[in-house]
Amino acid sequence: RAVSSEGTTASGASDSVKKLLAMSNDDLQRALASGNIPKDLSNSDMLALQTRMNQISQMNQLMTQMISAMHDMHMAVARNIHA
């Protein structure tokens, strides 16, 4: 793979951002919350991190909605039994 003088690979993301993106969701969120991110991020690096954070957020919303739907179904069954 070709690396430019700024440490950016041919695919556009720097090596330090690729390491961040390779982290688990929990580790990535901890790193970002603690401010443990490289200082030399390009616009494409920031977009890659934002995209990853959006994916994590969407997954959390999906799981929350699924759990809520399951709870509602269980409550409906309980209400029908008592009726």
Side-chain angles (χ1 to χ4, degrees), residues 3-31:
V3 177
S4 71
S5 59
E6 296 143 2
T8 303
T9 60
S11 64
S14 66
D15 290 334
S16 55
V17 170
K18 284 187 177 188
K19 288 178 187 175
L20 280 175
L21 295 176
M23 291 181 175
S24 70
N25 292 343
D26 291 336
D27 290 340
L28 176 63
Q29 288 179 318
R30 263 188 239 110

Side-chain angles (χ1 to χ4, degrees), residues 28-61:
L28 176 63
Q29 288 179 318
R30 263 188 239 110
L32 294 177
S34 68
N36 190 15
I37 58 172
K39 303 294 183 211
D40 58 342
L41 296 177
S42 68
N43 287 341
S44 62
D45 293 340
M46 290 298 287
L47 287 174
L49 284 172
Q50 184 177 6
T51 300
R52 175 76 184 276
M53 291 305 295
N54 286 341
Q55 290 170 345
I56 293 169
S57 176
Q58 288 174 354
M59 181 60 70
N60 287 339
Q61 289 174 354

